[in-house]
Amino acid sequence: MNATMLKSSFVSGVAARPQLPTPFRSNGSRVCMRVNAEAQLSGNWLPGAENPKYLEGLPASYGFDPLRLGQDPGALEWYKQAELIHCRYAMAAVAGILIPDVLNKLGALNLPDWWNAGKVAQDNSPIPFNTLIALEIFAYNFVEIKRWQDFKKPGSQSEKGSFVGLEGFFQGSGENGYPGGIFDPLGLSKGPGFEAMKVREIKNGRLAMIAFLGFTGQYLATQKGPVDNLIDHLKAPLANNFTTNGVSLPIQAHPLLTVLHP
């Protein structure tokens, strides 16, 4: 076979080769790979598994219910509301930890560390501790009863006579867990993007719950807040991480890592 025949055979083979999908085609010396994260997450949390039918329609569920706790429709609705409330509490807590901590570092504020803030506030409060606890229990009980009543009968808390003439403030969005009214000053529950906002809230809330657990674990391990931990890690990543705090791992960190600490 001469050189001309070899060249012709090679060209024919290249022409007959199936084209790669667009995301994997070579572009010069670099392979362009585009991954749509949202499309990847739109399926099941466990690749190859089938989404439970009873989770269809829930924002950002991704079929995650390995213990099948949501098979009971009544229980599923309560779990949905419980996650929503925990998400909101966690987002408020994480913001309440990070924002003052950052402002302290910038010199704009001088507030106590988050794990000590409650004690400092109580030491400077004119209200005795036992009285404060009683007031908080009463307030939380009132709010939770109102939430439970609205859960059992959505919209009932805006009915006339349900709250000493102020029930108009509880005029909700009509959907359980999304109060609307004065709790939605921007009117996001009325716009076309309401469903997308639900997904964003759940995702950010889950991240906040994990972050709060991380903040708690960091303090127990290092006696520092998240901003200080981040600054220490950025200064010396190998010397300041979960392997070197003496708590996270059941084994002692390698002695060489301590040498790297500035």
Side-chain angles (χ1 to χ4, degrees):
M1 183 179 291
N2 56 32
T4 302
M5 293 178 65
L6 282 173
K7 180 179 180 181
S8 176
S9 177
F10 175 77
V11 172
S12 299
V14 170
R17 185 181 63 185
Q19 292 294 316
L20 293 171
T22 302
F24 298 96
R25 288 180 186 171
S26 176
N27 182 12
S29 61
R30 183 177 60 181
V31 176
C32 297
M33 299 182 66
R34 294 178 301 173
V35 178
N36 187 330
E38 190 63 32
Q40 294 294 326
L41 290 174
S42 62
N44 197 291
W45 71 280
L46 185 63
E50 183 178 353
N51 286 350
K53 297 295 183 184
Y54 56 82
L55 292 182
E56 292 181 357
L58 266 65
S61 72
Y62 305 121
F64 183 80
D65 187 17
L67 301 180
R68 303 293 178 179
L69 299 176
Q71 287 182 321
D72 178 8
L76 177 61
E77 191 62 27
W78 180 247
Y79 291 145
K80 175 184 173 182
Q81 300 305 313
E83 181 183 37
L84 195 57
I85 293 300
H86 281 84
C87 282
R88 291 168 180 169
Y89 276 137
M91 286 189 286
V94 168
I97 291 171
L98 287 179
I99 293 175
D101 207 0
V102 171
L103 293 177
N104 282 346
K105 294 294 182 293
L106 295 176
L109 293 176
N110 184 22
L111 297 174
D113 294 315
W114 70 270
W115 61 85
N116 201 34
K119 184 178 185 305
V120 172
Q122 179 56 42
D123 290 343
N124 294 277
S125 174
I127 304 175
F129 181 72
N130 291 337
T131 303
L132 181 63
I133 292 296
L135 291 174
E136 289 181 348
I137 291 176
F138 174 80
Y140 267 91
N141 182 64
F142 172 77
V143 171
E144 285 301 298
I145 286 177
K146 297 289 282 185
R147 188 168 72 86
W148 172 255
Q149 290 173 336
D150 190 66
F151 173 77
K152 298 298 291 184
K153 186 182 178 183
S156 62
Q157 301 313 292
S158 62
E159 294 176 356
K160 187 175 181 179
S162 64
F163 187 56
V164 296
L166 300 176
E167 53 275 352
F169 288 107
F170 296 97
Q171 184 67 45
S173 64
E175 183 171 354
N176 209 336
Y178 299 93
I182 61 173
F183 300 101
D184 183 22
L186 299 180
L188 299 177
S189 61
K190 300 176 182 177
F194 186 32
E195 295 302 318
M197 293 298 293
K198 289 181 185 178
V199 174
R200 294 188 188 112
E201 181 180 37
I202 287 293
K203 286 184 175 181
N204 281 282
R206 290 169 180 167
L207 182 61
M209 288 190 283
I210 295 173
F212 182 76
L213 289 176
F215 293 169
T216 304
Q218 282 178 303
Y219 168 69
L220 294 175
T222 66
Q223 304 298 303
K224 293 182 178 181
V227 176
D228 282 327
N229 283 141
L230 178 61
I231 292 174
D232 291 344
H233 177 70
L234 293 177
K235 286 181 178 178
L238 295 179
N240 297 293
N241 54 67
F242 77 100
T243 67
T244 62
N245 60 38
V247 176
S248 300
L249 296 182
I251 59 175
Q252 184 67 30
H254 197 281
L256 288 177
L257 294 177
T258 61
V259 177
L260 301 172
H261 196 285

